[in-house]
Amino acid sequence: MGNCCSDEVSHAGAHPVGSATAKAASAASAAADRFLRSRGAGASTQIELSLSASNLGDQEYFPKSKPMVVVYSKKRDGTLEEIGRSEVILNSLNPFWTTKISVQYQFEVLQQLVFQVFDIHQQFHDVSEKMLKLEEQEFLGEATCLLSEVITKRDRLLTLKLGVSEHNLPNPNNFGELTVQAEESSGSKAIMEMIFRCSDLEIKDLLTKSQDTFLLISGISDSGMPVPICKTEVRKNDLNPRWRPVSLNLQQIGSKENPLIVECFNFSSNGKHDLVGKIVKSVAELENMYHRKNGENFFVPASNAHECHSKEVLKSQLYVEKYVESNRHTFLDYISVGCQLNFMVGVDFTASNGNPRLPDSLHYIDPSGRPNVYQKAILEIGDVLQYYDPPKRFPAWGFGARPIDGPVSHCFNLNGSTYQPEVDGIQGIMSAYISALRNVSLAGPTLFGQLISTAMAIASQSLAENQHKYFILLIVTDGVVTDFQETIDAIIKASDFPISIIVVGVGGADFKEMEFLDPNKGEKLESSTGRVASRDMIQFAPMKDMHGTGISTLQSLLAEVPGQFMTYMRTRETQTDS
């Protein structure tokens, strides 16, 4: 689904992905592409944490405390990775540390932070904070929170009670409090928007039937490896393409003087895109190209491994048709002023899931408490989104089942209510799901149209009432949808409203036909009346445990939501301004 490309060189002069050595790079590029695509400015955000404390320890034991705080990221396996240390404050039980701790914000991940406060002994005052051995210092207390708990506060400020874990303190009843304040890096707001076009593109592979091109823009890491930042859409059958604007922010590129790699690829539906050519320019040089109205010739690396420093210069040229710098609101700006993300769920109750009473059913409720695939999908997405919706009232539906003494329904409330689909929290969804399994008969077929239309109606009403909400509908299904056109029509209507749709396929079905739900291959969905979606707001993928990068399928789908949210908000702002 929109895979990026590697720099693996083939003897034909193209750069397909597919060799054993390119598989890891391909997986990483695919994950990066999914993560970055449609996110506009700010594919990732640097957060700076400011820390202060009050009433540390106990004055009887620590009358002249010299505190320092150490910040850790807690991994899935429970291990702690240190991400920063403050300076040492002399003789204070109410310190305000000036050192800011930097954290990379990832919307799609639950990022657990651990803060440990230490009193630094007198004999170590001349030792650099980074060199201090913590086991030689006095432990004053510990606090834990999720990064999302901080950044979803209106003032991005959260006060935590300090406590104790395995450390032994003289008086375990008085640890004081730690206050955490998050601030978004200013570089994420400084935007450089560019429009690129090409002339006389050379498609050298004679076996390639398509001439469908896109640009991939990458930075260069400290190790010299390319790091994908953003990509354009695919322009079909055009050797002189002009792409829609792309946006970079200062945080992504570090400096306008840092080199960027701009690669042009010929799209292939199998993900093995061929390199047409590349250029290496800084943003400052791209800006200069815009002002001078001159093009830059693409080049391709030599195909001979012994000539790794040589290159073939092509007649094809890249032009910068537009260059504009500005400051923009970010996703976190909207969240900090009270915009909420509302989680919605649709669960497939068709008969192909198997008898829920049998262990081989996808709906089997394991007495041991191990979640089935439906529960896993709901929990993984819901655990992230719940922090962005303080009321935690989530609409939850089922489809493809026959309620007791009733016809097959393709959108019924999981909680059994006739009128209200909302349940309380993620556990409310779990309870309603299990209850529904006992009270409906699995049937079919697999239809999405009514479910999407119902969710869209809620988003539409919210918009009409001027509520600051954006909705994320998760549909979990084990089969291929059969109401193709009705589903497409519903999606296209929904694209005008504040909603994103995530469709996850579970079980062993062949979901290839479901790829029509993901228009990221350069195609746009078209309704029965010829209308196309106003924006990309639906994603589909079969559920797998992990990508090659360690990112789960659900995380990679969820990562696209902030960009879809920002696309919607900018469209609304443009309509309001006009």
Side-chain angles (χ1 to χ4, degrees), residues 199-230:
S199 65
D200 302 318
L201 287 181
E202 300 178 57
I203 309 297
K204 291 194 170 186
D205 190 346
L206 298 178
L207 298 178
T208 301
K209 295 181 180 180
S210 67
Q211 297 173 350
D212 308 332
T213 54
F214 67 94
L215 298 179
L216 173 67
I217 301 175
S218 303
I220 301 176
S221 68
D222 292 339
S223 63
M225 295 296 293
V227 180
I229 296 175
C230 66

PDB file of all heavy atoms in Angstrom, residues 199-230:
ATOM      1  N   SER A 199      10.171  17.600 -16.441  1.00  0.00           N
ATOM      2  CA  SER A 199      10.074  17.657 -17.901  1.00  0.00           C
ATOM      3  C   SER A 199      10.860  16.510 -18.511  1.00  0.00           C
ATOM      4  O   SER A 199      11.913  16.125 -18.013  1.00  0.00           O
ATOM      5  CB  SER A 199      10.623  18.993 -18.421  1.00  0.00           C
ATOM      6  OG  SER A 199      12.011  19.111 -18.165  1.00  0.00           O
ATOM      7  N   ASP A 200      10.287  15.922 -19.567  1.00  0.00           N
ATOM      8  CA  ASP A 200      10.968  14.903 -20.383  1.00  0.00           C
ATOM      9  C   ASP A 200      11.471  13.734 -19.553  1.00  0.00           C
ATOM     10  O   ASP A 200      12.629  13.319 -19.659  1.00  0.00           O
ATOM     11  CB  ASP A 200      12.150  15.523 -21.145  1.00  0.00           C
ATOM     12  CG  ASP A 200      11.719  16.666 -22.052  1.00  0.00           C
ATOM     13  OD1 ASP A 200      10.678  16.521 -22.716  1.00  0.00           O
ATOM     14  OD2 ASP A 200      12.416  17.701 -22.069  1.00  0.00           O
ATOM     15  N   LEU A 201      10.598  13.170 -18.733  1.00  0.00           N
ATOM     16  CA  LEU A 201      11.013  12.020 -17.934  1.00  0.00           C
ATOM     17  C   LEU A 201      11.357  10.841 -18.837  1.00  0.00           C
ATOM     18  O   LEU A 201      10.665  10.567 -19.826  1.00  0.00           O
ATOM     19  CB  LEU A 201       9.908  11.612 -16.953  1.00  0.00           C
ATOM     20  CG  LEU A 201       9.690  12.543 -15.765  1.00  0.00           C
ATOM     21  CD1 LEU A 201       8.579  12.005 -14.871  1.00  0.00           C
ATOM     22  CD2 LEU A 201      10.969  12.728 -14.960  1.00  0.00           C
ATOM     23  N   GLU A 202      12.418  10.142 -18.485  1.00  0.00           N
ATOM     24  CA  GLU A 202      12.878   8.996 -19.266  1.00  0.00           C
ATOM     25  C   GLU A 202      12.538   7.708 -18.525  1.00  0.00           C
ATOM     26  O   GLU A 202      13.085   7.438 -17.464  1.00  0.00           O
ATOM     27  CB  GLU A 202      14.393   9.072 -19.484  1.00  0.00           C
ATOM     28  CG  GLU A 202      14.854  10.325 -20.218  1.00  0.00           C
ATOM     29  CD  GLU A 202      16.370  10.365 -20.355  1.00  0.00           C
ATOM     30  OE1 GLU A 202      16.936   9.411 -20.925  1.00  0.00           O
ATOM     31  OE2 GLU A 202      16.982  11.337 -19.881  1.00  0.00           O
ATOM     32  N   ILE A 203      11.608   6.926 -19.075  1.00  0.00           N
ATOM     33  CA  ILE A 203      11.269   5.617 -18.525  1.00  0.00           C
ATOM     34  C   ILE A 203      12.058   4.593 -19.333  1.00  0.00           C
ATOM     35  O   ILE A 203      11.685   4.242 -20.448  1.00  0.00           O
ATOM     36  CB  ILE A 203       9.763   5.334 -18.590  1.00  0.00           C
ATOM     37  CG1 ILE A 203       8.981   6.500 -17.971  1.00  0.00           C
ATOM     38  CG2 ILE A 203       9.438   4.021 -17.893  1.00  0.00           C
ATOM     39  CD1 ILE A 203       9.243   6.728 -16.511  1.00  0.00           C
ATOM     40  N   LYS A 204      13.180   4.118 -18.778  1.00  0.00           N
ATOM     41  CA  LYS A 204      14.117   3.312 -19.571  1.00  0.00           C
ATOM     42  C   LYS A 204      13.757   1.841 -19.633  1.00  0.00           C
ATOM     43  O   LYS A 204      14.191   1.139 -20.527  1.00  0.00           O
ATOM     44  CB  LYS A 204      15.525   3.471 -18.991  1.00  0.00           C
ATOM     45  CG  LYS A 204      16.099   4.874 -19.199  1.00  0.00           C
ATOM     46  CD  LYS A 204      17.581   4.879 -18.916  1.00  0.00           C
ATOM     47  CE  LYS A 204      18.196   6.202 -19.357  1.00  0.00           C
ATOM     48  NZ  LYS A 204      19.668   6.194 -19.216  1.00  0.00           N
ATOM     49  N   ASP A 205      12.992   1.362 -18.643  1.00  0.00           N
ATOM     50  CA  ASP A 205      12.661  -0.051 -18.619  1.00  0.00           C
ATOM     51  C   ASP A 205      11.585  -0.339 -19.662  1.00  0.00           C
ATOM     52  O   ASP A 205      10.431   0.060 -19.509  1.00  0.00           O
ATOM     53  CB  ASP A 205      12.167  -0.440 -17.218  1.00  0.00           C
ATOM     54  CG  ASP A 205      12.035  -1.948 -17.063  1.00  0.00           C
ATOM     55  OD1 ASP A 205      12.063  -2.652 -18.085  1.00  0.00           O
ATOM     56  OD2 ASP A 205      11.905  -2.409 -15.916  1.00  0.00           O
ATOM     57  N   LEU A 206      11.956  -1.032 -20.716  1.00  0.00           N
ATOM     58  CA  LEU A 206      11.027  -1.298 -21.810  1.00  0.00           C
ATOM     59  C   LEU A 206       9.897  -2.236 -21.393  1.00  0.00           C
ATOM     60  O   LEU A 206       8.864  -2.308 -22.055  1.00  0.00           O
ATOM     61  CB  LEU A 206      11.780  -1.901 -23.005  1.00  0.00           C
ATOM     62  CG  LEU A 206      12.867  -0.997 -23.619  1.00  0.00           C
ATOM     63  CD1 LEU A 206      13.560  -1.722 -24.762  1.00  0.00           C
ATOM     64  CD2 LEU A 206      12.258   0.316 -24.109  1.00  0.00           C
ATOM     65  N   LEU A 207      10.102  -2.978 -20.295  1.00  0.00           N
ATOM     66  CA  LEU A 207       9.072  -3.892 -19.833  1.00  0.00           C
ATOM     67  C   LEU A 207       8.011  -3.177 -18.996  1.00  0.00           C
ATOM     68  O   LEU A 207       6.972  -3.740 -18.683  1.00  0.00           O
ATOM     69  CB  LEU A 207       9.706  -5.020 -18.995  1.00  0.00           C
ATOM     70  CG  LEU A 207      10.714  -5.905 -19.745  1.00  0.00           C
ATOM     71  CD1 LEU A 207      11.307  -6.944 -18.793  1.00  0.00           C
ATOM     72  CD2 LEU A 207      10.045  -6.598 -20.927  1.00  0.00           C
ATOM     73  N   THR A 208       8.296  -1.956 -18.643  1.00  0.00           N
ATOM     74  CA  THR A 208       7.348  -1.190 -17.830  1.00  0.00           C
ATOM     75  C   THR A 208       6.244  -0.625 -18.705  1.00  0.00           C
ATOM     76  O   THR A 208       6.504   0.124 -19.633  1.00  0.00           O
ATOM     77  CB  THR A 208       8.067  -0.044 -17.098  1.00  0.00           C
ATOM     78  OG1 THR A 208       9.079  -0.600 -16.265  1.00  0.00           O
ATOM     79  CG2 THR A 208       7.085   0.745 -16.235  1.00  0.00           C
ATOM     80  N   LYS A 209       5.017  -0.992 -18.421  1.00  0.00           N
ATOM     81  CA  LYS A 209       3.895  -0.529 -19.228  1.00  0.00           C
ATOM     82  C   LYS A 209       3.412   0.847 -18.776  1.00  0.00           C
ATOM     83  O   LYS A 209       2.980   1.652 -19.581  1.00  0.00           O
ATOM     84  CB  LYS A 209       2.746  -1.540 -19.137  1.00  0.00           C
ATOM     85  CG  LYS A 209       3.082  -2.903 -19.739  1.00  0.00           C
ATOM     86  CD  LYS A 209       1.902  -3.841 -19.635  1.00  0.00           C
ATOM     87  CE  LYS A 209       2.239  -5.212 -20.235  1.00  0.00           C
ATOM     88  NZ  LYS A 209       1.096  -6.142 -20.135  1.00  0.00           N
ATOM     89  N   SER A 210       3.479   1.106 -17.480  1.00  0.00           N
ATOM     90  CA  SER A 210       2.928   2.357 -16.969  1.00  0.00           C
ATOM     91  C   SER A 210       3.975   3.467 -16.991  1.00  0.00           C
ATOM     92  O   SER A 210       5.176   3.213 -17.054  1.00  0.00           O
ATOM     93  CB  SER A 210       2.426   2.166 -15.536  1.00  0.00           C
ATOM     94  OG  SER A 210       3.517   1.925 -14.668  1.00  0.00           O
ATOM     95  N   GLN A 211       3.492   4.679 -16.986  1.00  0.00           N
ATOM     96  CA  GLN A 211       4.339   5.855 -16.849  1.00  0.00           C
ATOM     97  C   GLN A 211       3.713   6.724 -15.761  1.00  0.00           C
ATOM     98  O   GLN A 211       3.331   7.866 -15.986  1.00  0.00           O
ATOM     99  CB  GLN A 211       4.434   6.594 -18.186  1.00  0.00           C
ATOM    100  CG  GLN A 211       5.100   5.762 -19.277  1.00  0.00           C
ATOM    101  CD  GLN A 211       5.054   6.428 -20.643  1.00  0.00           C
ATOM    102  OE1 GLN A 211       4.383   7.423 -20.826  1.00  0.00           O
ATOM    103  NE2 GLN A 211       5.769   5.857 -21.595  1.00  0.00           N
ATOM    104  N   ASP A 212       3.620   6.102 -14.589  1.00  0.00           N
ATOM    105  CA  ASP A 212       2.920   6.700 -13.451  1.00  0.00           C
ATOM    106  C   ASP A 212       3.961   7.056 -12.396  1.00  0.00           C
ATOM    107  O   ASP A 212       4.505   6.161 -11.734  1.00  0.00           O
ATOM    108  CB  ASP A 212       1.883   5.739 -12.877  1.00  0.00           C
ATOM    109  CG  ASP A 212       0.948   5.197 -13.950  1.00  0.00           C
ATOM    110  OD1 ASP A 212       0.743   5.904 -14.951  1.00  0.00           O
ATOM    111  OD2 ASP A 212       0.431   4.078 -13.779  1.00  0.00           O
ATOM    112  N   THR A 213       4.241   8.330 -12.229  1.00  0.00           N
ATOM    113  CA  THR A 213       5.394   8.727 -11.440  1.00  0.00           C
ATOM    114  C   THR A 213       5.017   9.456 -10.151  1.00  0.00           C
ATOM    115  O   THR A 213       3.958  10.069 -10.041  1.00  0.00           O
ATOM    116  CB  THR A 213       6.320   9.642 -12.266  1.00  0.00           C
ATOM    117  OG1 THR A 213       5.562  10.737 -12.777  1.00  0.00           O
ATOM    118  CG2 THR A 213       6.936   8.880 -13.417  1.00  0.00           C
ATOM    119  N   PHE A 214       5.918   9.363  -9.163  1.00  0.00           N
ATOM    120  CA  PHE A 214       5.779  10.107  -7.925  1.00  0.00           C
ATOM    121  C   PHE A 214       7.170  10.461  -7.420  1.00  0.00           C
ATOM    122  O   PHE A 214       8.177   9.874  -7.835  1.00  0.00           O
ATOM    123  CB  PHE A 214       5.006   9.302  -6.863  1.00  0.00           C
ATOM    124  CG  PHE A 214       5.712   8.072  -6.363  1.00  0.00           C
ATOM    125  CD1 PHE A 214       6.499   8.119  -5.214  1.00  0.00           C
ATOM    126  CD2 PHE A 214       5.581   6.850  -7.021  1.00  0.00           C
ATOM    127  CE1 PHE A 214       7.133   6.991  -4.730  1.00  0.00           C
ATOM    128  CE2 PHE A 214       6.211   5.708  -6.553  1.00  0.00           C
ATOM    129  CZ  PHE A 214       6.999   5.771  -5.402  1.00  0.00           C
ATOM    130  N   LEU A 215       7.222  11.438  -6.537  1.00  0.00           N
ATOM    131  CA  LEU A 215       8.482  11.863  -5.929  1.00  0.00           C
ATOM    132  C   LEU A 215       8.530  11.410  -4.476  1.00  0.00           C
ATOM    133  O   LEU A 215       7.524  11.454  -3.763  1.00  0.00           O
ATOM    134  CB  LEU A 215       8.630  13.388  -5.963  1.00  0.00           C
ATOM    135  CG  LEU A 215       8.680  14.068  -7.331  1.00  0.00           C
ATOM    136  CD1 LEU A 215       8.805  15.580  -7.146  1.00  0.00           C
ATOM    137  CD2 LEU A 215       9.825  13.533  -8.186  1.00  0.00           C
ATOM    138  N   LEU A 216       9.696  10.985  -4.044  1.00  0.00           N
ATOM    139  CA  LEU A 216       9.958  10.660  -2.650  1.00  0.00           C
ATOM    140  C   LEU A 216      11.077  11.575  -2.160  1.00  0.00           C
ATOM    141  O   LEU A 216      12.137  11.653  -2.789  1.00  0.00           O
ATOM    142  CB  LEU A 216      10.388   9.197  -2.494  1.00  0.00           C
ATOM    143  CG  LEU A 216      10.851   8.766  -1.098  1.00  0.00           C
ATOM    144  CD1 LEU A 216       9.689   8.797  -0.124  1.00  0.00           C
ATOM    145  CD2 LEU A 216      11.470   7.366  -1.145  1.00  0.00           C
ATOM    146  N   ILE A 217      10.832  12.290  -1.073  1.00  0.00           N
ATOM    147  CA  ILE A 217      11.814  13.216  -0.521  1.00  0.00           C
ATOM    148  C   ILE A 217      12.343  12.643   0.786  1.00  0.00           C
ATOM    149  O   ILE A 217      11.565  12.282   1.682  1.00  0.00           O
ATOM    150  CB  ILE A 217      11.204  14.606  -0.289  1.00  0.00           C
ATOM    151  CG1 ILE A 217      10.664  15.160  -1.609  1.00  0.00           C
ATOM    152  CG2 ILE A 217      12.240  15.559   0.311  1.00  0.00           C
ATOM    153  CD1 ILE A 217       9.928  16.477  -1.462  1.00  0.00           C
ATOM    154  N   SER A 218      13.664  12.561   0.889  1.00  0.00           N
ATOM    155  CA  SER A 218      14.301  11.973   2.074  1.00  0.00           C
ATOM    156  C   SER A 218      15.379  12.893   2.601  1.00  0.00           C
ATOM    157  O   SER A 218      16.038  13.617   1.842  1.00  0.00           O
ATOM    158  CB  SER A 218      14.929  10.610   1.742  1.00  0.00           C
ATOM    159  OG  SER A 218      13.982   9.714   1.206  1.00  0.00           O
ATOM    160  N   GLY A 219      15.550  12.874   3.911  1.00  0.00           N
ATOM    161  CA  GLY A 219      16.700  13.503   4.525  1.00  0.00           C
ATOM    162  C   GLY A 219      17.830  12.504   4.600  1.00  0.00           C
ATOM    163  O   GLY A 219      17.717  11.359   4.143  1.00  0.00           O
ATOM    164  N   ILE A 220      18.948  12.913   5.176  1.00  0.00           N
ATOM    165  CA  ILE A 220      20.106  12.037   5.320  1.00  0.00           C
ATOM    166  C   ILE A 220      20.473  11.988   6.792  1.00  0.00           C
ATOM    167  O   ILE A 220      20.703  13.022   7.429  1.00  0.00           O
ATOM    168  CB  ILE A 220      21.304  12.540   4.487  1.00  0.00           C
ATOM    169  CG1 ILE A 220      20.901  12.617   3.012  1.00  0.00           C
ATOM    170  CG2 ILE A 220      22.512  11.609   4.661  1.00  0.00           C
ATOM    171  CD1 ILE A 220      21.985  13.194   2.122  1.00  0.00           C
ATOM    172  N   SER A 221      20.486  10.783   7.360  1.00  0.00           N
ATOM    173  CA  SER A 221      20.780  10.620   8.780  1.00  0.00           C
ATOM    174  C   SER A 221      22.266  10.824   9.042  1.00  0.00           C
ATOM    175  O   SER A 221      23.078  10.934   8.116  1.00  0.00           O
ATOM    176  CB  SER A 221      20.365   9.220   9.246  1.00  0.00           C
ATOM    177  OG  SER A 221      21.205   8.238   8.639  1.00  0.00           O
ATOM    178  N   ASP A 222      22.630  10.857  10.332  1.00  0.00           N
ATOM    179  CA  ASP A 222      24.037  11.018  10.700  1.00  0.00           C
ATOM    180  C   ASP A 222      24.892   9.880  10.167  1.00  0.00           C
ATOM    181  O   ASP A 222      26.084  10.052   9.907  1.00  0.00           O
ATOM    182  CB  ASP A 222      24.171  11.084  12.225  1.00  0.00           C
ATOM    183  CG  ASP A 222      23.546  12.356  12.800  1.00  0.00           C
ATOM    184  OD1 ASP A 222      23.391  13.336  12.031  1.00  0.00           O
ATOM    185  OD2 ASP A 222      23.206  12.369  13.995  1.00  0.00           O
ATOM    186  N   SER A 223      24.276   8.696   9.989  1.00  0.00           N
ATOM    187  CA  SER A 223      25.019   7.553   9.464  1.00  0.00           C
ATOM    188  C   SER A 223      25.113   7.567   7.946  1.00  0.00           C
ATOM    189  O   SER A 223      25.740   6.695   7.355  1.00  0.00           O
ATOM    190  CB  SER A 223      24.344   6.252   9.911  1.00  0.00           C
ATOM    191  OG  SER A 223      23.035   6.160   9.364  1.00  0.00           O
ATOM    192  N   GLY A 224      24.462   8.571   7.315  1.00  0.00           N
ATOM    193  CA  GLY A 224      24.507   8.668   5.857  1.00  0.00           C
ATOM    194  C   GLY A 224      23.369   7.965   5.155  1.00  0.00           C
ATOM    195  O   GLY A 224      23.287   8.007   3.924  1.00  0.00           O
ATOM    196  N   MET A 225      22.471   7.325   5.905  1.00  0.00           N
ATOM    197  CA  MET A 225      21.347   6.605   5.305  1.00  0.00           C
ATOM    198  C   MET A 225      20.189   7.557   5.034  1.00  0.00           C
ATOM    199  O   MET A 225      19.934   8.485   5.805  1.00  0.00           O
ATOM    200  CB  MET A 225      20.874   5.485   6.249  1.00  0.00           C
ATOM    201  CG  MET A 225      21.893   4.404   6.462  1.00  0.00           C
ATOM    202  SD  MET A 225      22.275   3.513   4.931  1.00  0.00           S
ATOM    203  CE  MET A 225      20.709   2.692   4.643  1.00  0.00           C
ATOM    204  N   PRO A 226      19.471   7.356   3.912  1.00  0.00           N
ATOM    205  CA  PRO A 226      18.300   8.201   3.624  1.00  0.00           C
ATOM    206  C   PRO A 226      17.162   7.917   4.596  1.00  0.00           C
ATOM    207  O   PRO A 226      16.916   6.765   4.961  1.00  0.00           O
ATOM    208  CB  PRO A 226      17.924   7.806   2.191  1.00  0.00           C
ATOM    209  CG  PRO A 226      18.481   6.433   2.001  1.00  0.00           C
ATOM    210  CD  PRO A 226      19.719   6.364   2.844  1.00  0.00           C
ATOM    211  N   VAL A 227      16.477   8.967   5.019  1.00  0.00           N
ATOM    212  CA  VAL A 227      15.330   8.850   5.920  1.00  0.00           C
ATOM    213  C   VAL A 227      14.125   9.473   5.230  1.00  0.00           C
ATOM    214  O   VAL A 227      14.061  10.687   5.060  1.00  0.00           O
ATOM    215  CB  VAL A 227      15.599   9.583   7.252  1.00  0.00           C
ATOM    216  CG1 VAL A 227      14.392   9.462   8.176  1.00  0.00           C
ATOM    217  CG2 VAL A 227      16.848   9.033   7.920  1.00  0.00           C
ATOM    218  N   PRO A 228      13.139   8.678   4.765  1.00  0.00           N
ATOM    219  CA  PRO A 228      11.986   9.230   4.059  1.00  0.00           C
ATOM    220  C   PRO A 228      11.242  10.265   4.897  1.00  0.00           C
ATOM    221  O   PRO A 228      11.007  10.067   6.086  1.00  0.00           O
ATOM    222  CB  PRO A 228      11.109   7.998   3.796  1.00  0.00           C
ATOM    223  CG  PRO A 228      12.054   6.844   3.828  1.00  0.00           C
ATOM    224  CD  PRO A 228      13.084   7.199   4.843  1.00  0.00           C
ATOM    225  N   ILE A 229      10.905  11.387   4.254  1.00  0.00           N
ATOM    226  CA  ILE A 229      10.170  12.456   4.929  1.00  0.00           C
ATOM    227  C   ILE A 229       8.753  12.568   4.390  1.00  0.00           C
ATOM    228  O   ILE A 229       7.790  12.571   5.140  1.00  0.00           O
ATOM    229  CB  ILE A 229      10.904  13.802   4.770  1.00  0.00           C
ATOM    230  CG1 ILE A 229      12.275  13.754   5.453  1.00  0.00           C
ATOM    231  CG2 ILE A 229      10.064  14.942   5.351  1.00  0.00           C
ATOM    232  CD1 ILE A 229      13.098  15.005   5.238  1.00  0.00           C
ATOM    233  N   CYS A 230       8.615  12.648   3.067  1.00  0.00           N
ATOM    234  CA  CYS A 230       7.275  12.748   2.496  1.00  0.00           C
ATOM    235  C   CYS A 230       7.323  12.326   1.034  1.00  0.00           C
ATOM    236  O   CYS A 230       8.400  12.144   0.459  1.00  0.00           O
ATOM    237  CB  CYS A 230       6.713  14.163   2.619  1.00  0.00           C
ATOM    238  SG  CYS A 230       7.597  15.397   1.638  1.00  0.00           S
TER     239      CYS A 230
END
